C-alpha cells in the first residue's frame, strides 16, 4: 500500500532561488520560499544579501554576497553532485559581476537539464507619480538586456523596466503588445508586464498587468496567448510583492504550463488575498487615523497560507 501511495506522488521539483534575505519581514527569498514550499516545491536558497530588515525601514544592517562567494557556494553544490534544478528564480541584484555569475550558473544548469526554466524578476526601477527612476546602478541595464533576458524563460518586468530595455515609452495597448513580442524575440517564452500605465477599463482604482506566452510547436508554427489582468489597487506601499508575484507565477505556470490565463488568475488572486489581509491587519495595529509603518505593513504571509495554496479566484484575466 505504501508503495502504491509513493508511486502516485508527484515527481520532486526543485528551485534554486538567488535573492536577498532579511532576518525580519518578507522580501526576496523570505517572500518566495514559503509560498513555493506550500505549493509543493523544494527550494534551495542563495542569499545575495543578508540584512536585518528591508531598506524601507529607518535603519538596516547586514552583509552583501559577492560574485566569488556565490561561485564558491555553487562549487560546493557541484562537488556533491546536487546541482540539478528544474527552476532558477532571481530577483533584486545591485552588482554587475554578481549578475554575470548568475548567468554563468544558469547556462551551466541548462546544459545539465535542457528543460530547466529560468524565471527572472528584473528589479531595476519603477515609476513614482508618473516619473520613472532606476534604483540599481545604470550599468546593470546592458547586463540584463544582453546577457540575462536571452537566457531567461519567464520574465516579469514592470512597464518602466520593459521600456528601459527597449529604449521606448508605450502608452497604448497595441504598443505594449508589440513590446511583449520584442521581448519574446530576445529569448523568453513567457513575458508578464506586472504593472503598466494603461488606463484600466474598470477605472482608475485598478492596475493593469499584461501577459504573453509564446510556444513554438514541433512543426515550427507559433502559438501566442495574450492576456490582460485588472486588479484593485491597494492604498499602501508594500515591499516584497514583486518577489511573491514571481514565485507564485513560477508555481502556477508549472501547474498550468499551457494556460497563462489560469496561472495569472491564481497568482494575482492570491496576491490580492495577501495584500487585503496585510492592509487590514496594518490598520488595526496602527490604530484609528494613523498611517501604518514599515513593520506593520510586512506581508501577512503565514496567515495567508490557505489562500496561497488554493486561491479563490477573485481576479479574472481577459484573453486579448
Amino acid at each position: 500500500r505504501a508503495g502504491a501511495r509513493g508511486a502516485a506522488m508527484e515527481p520532486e521539483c526543485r528551485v534554486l532561488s538567488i535573492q536577498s534575505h532579511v532576518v525580519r519581514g518578507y522580501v526576496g527569498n523570505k517572500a518566495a520560499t514559503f509560498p513555493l514550499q506550500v505549493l509543493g516545491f523544494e527550494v534551495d536558497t542563495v542569499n545575495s544579501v543578508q540584512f536585518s530588515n528591508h531598506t524601507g525601514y529607518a535603519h538596516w544592517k547586514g552583509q552583501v554576497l559577492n560574485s566569488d562567494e556565490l561561485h564558491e557556494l555553487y562549487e560546493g553544490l557541484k562537488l556533491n553532485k546536487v546541482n540539478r534544478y528544474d527552476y532558477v528564480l532571481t530577483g533584486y541584484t545591485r552588482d554587475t559581476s554578481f549578475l554575470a555569475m548568475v548567468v554563468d550558473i544558469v547556462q551551466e544548469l541548462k546544459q545539465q537539464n535542457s528543460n530547466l526554466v529560468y524565471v527572472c524578476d528584473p528589479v531595476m526601477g519603477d515609476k513614482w507619480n508618473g516619473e520613472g527612476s532606476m534604483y540599481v546602478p545604470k550599468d546593470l541595464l546592458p547586463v540584463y538586456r544582453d546577457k540575462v533576458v536571452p537566457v531567461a524563460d519567464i520574465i516579469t518586468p514592470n512597464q518602466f523596466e520593459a521600456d528601459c530595455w527597449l529604449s521606448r515609452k508605450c502608452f497604448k495597448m497595441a504598443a505594449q503588445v508589440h513590446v511583449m513580442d520584442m521581448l519574446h524575440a530576445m529569448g523568453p517564452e513567457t513575458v508578464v508586464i506586472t504593472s503598466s500605465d494603461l488606463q484600466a477599463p474598470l477605472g482608475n482604482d485598478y492596475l493593469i498587468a499584461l501577459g504573453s506566452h509564446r510556444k513554438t510547436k514541433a512543426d515550427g508554427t507559433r502559438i501566442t496567448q495574450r492576456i490582460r489582468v485588472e486588479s484593485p489597487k491597494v492604498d499602501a506601499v508594500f515591499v516584497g510583492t514583486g518577489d511573491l508575484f514571481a514565485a507564485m507565477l513560477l508555481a502556477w505556470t508549472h501547474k498550468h504550463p499551457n494556460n497563462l490565463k489560469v496561472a495569472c488568475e491564481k497568482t494575482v488572486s492570491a496576491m490580492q488575498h495577501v495584500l487585503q489581509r496585510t492592509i487590514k491587519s496594518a490598520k488595526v495595529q496602527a490604530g484609528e487615523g494613523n498611517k501604518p509603518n514599515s513593520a506593520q505593513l510586512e506581508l501577512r504571509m503565514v496567515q495567508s497560507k490557505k489562500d496561497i495554496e488554493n486561491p479563490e479566484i477573485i481576479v479574472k484575466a481577459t484573453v486579448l
Side-chain angles (χ1 to χ4, degrees), residues 22-25 27 51-61 298:
V22 287
V23 177
R24 171 66 182 259
V27 301
F51 285 172
S52 52
N53 43 268
H54 72 68
T55 56
Y57 284 75
H59 310 280
W60 70 91
K61 298 280 185 186
E298 290 285 7

Side-chain angles (χ1 to χ4, degrees), residues 8-167:
M9 279 169 62
E10 275 188 40
E12 178 184 283
C13 195
R14 193 170 283 271
V15 180
L16 176 63
S17 182
I18 306 174
Q19 299 196 62
S20 50
H21 169 81
V22 287
V23 177
R24 171 66 182 259
Y26 291 98
V27 301
N29 273 331
K30 281 284 290 285
T33 305
F34 177 72
L36 283 169
Q37 288 173 329
V38 161
L39 289 163
F41 294 78
E42 288 286 351
V43 188
D44 294 355
T45 55
V46 173
N47 298 326
S48 55
V49 306
Q50 176 170 261
F51 285 172
S52 52
N53 43 268
H54 72 68
T55 56
Y57 284 75
H59 310 280
W60 70 91
K61 298 280 185 186
Q63 302 82 36
V64 177
L65 195 74
N66 65 37
S67 56
D68 290 341
E69 291 162 336
L70 169 61
H71 184 251
E72 195 178 337
L73 290 172
Y74 178 69
E75 281 298 304
L77 296 172
K78 207 159 119 175
L79 288 166
N80 289 306
K81 297 185 172 58
V82 289
N83 61 328
R84 185 179 169 84
Y85 291 96
D86 302 287
Y87 286 88
V88 176
L89 173 63
T90 62
Y92 182 69
T93 303
R94 284 193 66 84
D95 179 70
T96 51
S97 61
F98 191 91
L99 196 54
M101 180 60 67
V102 167
V103 172
D104 289 347
I105 289 171
V106 169
Q107 286 176 319
E108 189 168 312
L109 291 172
K110 282 193 168 195
Q111 282 173 349
Q112 285 196 181
N113 175 15
S114 59
N115 294 321
L116 179 133
V117 173
Y118 173 27
V119 181
C120 172
D121 181 17
V123 186
M124 296 191 304
D126 209 343
K127 287 187 179 173
W128 304 100
N129 304 320
E131 282 301 303
S133 65
M134 303 263 294
Y135 34 60
V136 297
K138 284 196 164 58
D139 57 358
L140 262 80
L141 181 57
V143 183
Y144 268 115
R145 189 187 55 224
D146 304 334
K147 292 187 172 174
V148 179
V149 177
V151 297
D153 301 284
I154 298 175
I155 52 170
T156 58
N158 56 40
Q159 187 184 332
F160 173 74
E161 289 154 348
D163 289 350
C164 276
W165 285 333
L166 301 168
S167 307

Side-chain angles (χ1 to χ4, degrees), residues 56-320:
Y57 284 75
H59 310 280
W60 70 91
K61 298 280 185 186
Q63 302 82 36
V64 177
L65 195 74
N66 65 37
S67 56
D68 290 341
E69 291 162 336
L70 169 61
H71 184 251
E72 195 178 337
L73 290 172
Y74 178 69
E75 281 298 304
L77 296 172
K78 207 159 119 175
L79 288 166
N80 289 306
K81 297 185 172 58
V82 289
N83 61 328
R84 185 179 169 84
Y85 291 96
D86 302 287
Y87 286 88
V88 176
L89 173 63
T90 62
Y92 182 69
T93 303
R94 284 193 66 84
D95 179 70
T96 51
S97 61
F98 191 91
L99 196 54
M101 180 60 67
V102 167
V103 172
D104 289 347
I105 289 171
V106 169
Q107 286 176 319
E108 189 168 312
L109 291 172
K110 282 193 168 195
Q111 282 173 349
Q112 285 196 181
N113 175 15
S114 59
N115 294 321
L116 179 133
V117 173
Y118 173 27
V119 181
C120 172
D121 181 17
V123 186
M124 296 191 304
D126 209 343
K127 287 187 179 173
W128 304 100
N129 304 320
E131 282 301 303
S133 65
M134 303 263 294
Y135 34 60
V136 297
K138 284 196 164 58
D139 57 358
L140 262 80
L141 181 57
V143 183
Y144 268 115
R145 189 187 55 224
D146 304 334
K147 292 187 172 174
V148 179
V149 177
V151 297
D153 301 284
I154 298 175
I155 52 170
T156 58
N158 56 40
Q159 187 184 332
F160 173 74
E161 289 154 348
D163 289 350
C164 276
W165 285 333
L166 301 168
S167 307
R168 57 189 295 160
K169 286 187 168 69
C170 303
F171 301 108
K172 293 200 167 127
M173 176 68 78
Q176 295 218 351
V177 166
H178 182 55
V179 161
M180 292 193 292
D181 285 345
M182 288 169 78
L183 291 172
H184 282 312
M186 290 164 76
E189 245 187 25
T190 302
V191 176
V192 177
I193 297 176
T194 54
S195 59
S196 81
D197 291 338
L198 293 173
Q199 175 71 43
L202 289 173
N204 291 336
D205 295 335
Y206 287 80
L207 194 65
I208 280 193
L210 297 168
S212 180
H213 177 65
R214 176 174 286 178
K215 211 161 182 60
T216 306
K217 297 203 313 196
D219 63 2
T221 54
R222 276 183 186 159
I223 305 171
T224 306
Q225 183 191 20
R226 296 194 184 99
I227 54 136
R228 182 186 74 226
V229 188
E230 294 175 71
S231 52
K233 289 179 182 172
V234 183
D235 187 25
V237 177
F238 300 102
V239 179
T241 49
D243 308 319
L244 174 60
F245 183 95
M248 289 197 298
L249 186 69
L250 182 162
W252 291 117
T253 51
H254 175 79
K255 292 173 189 290
H256 302 282
N258 297 310
N259 197 333
L260 186 63
K261 181 180 185 288
V262 170
C264 285
E265 285 174 346
K266 289 191 175 181
T267 299
V268 176
S269 293
M271 291 286 301
Q272 279 297 315
H273 291 301
V274 173
L275 294 182
Q276 296 297 346
R277 183 173 284 105
T278 301
I279 192 69
K280 208 166 157 186
S281 158
K283 282 178 174 170
V284 169
Q285 289 177 69
E288 191 74 40
N290 298 321
K291 200 176 171 191
N293 62 27
S294 290
Q296 291 158 346
L297 284 167
E298 290 285 7
L299 297 177
R300 307 303 282 170
M301 198 77 84
V302 174
Q303 298 80 355
S304 303
K305 177 182 174 286
K306 285 181 179 161
D307 292 316
I308 291 167
E309 203 167 10
N310 188 19
E312 181 198 341
I313 305 298
I314 53 172
V315 179
K316 287 279 195 185
T318 306
V319 175
L320 299 177

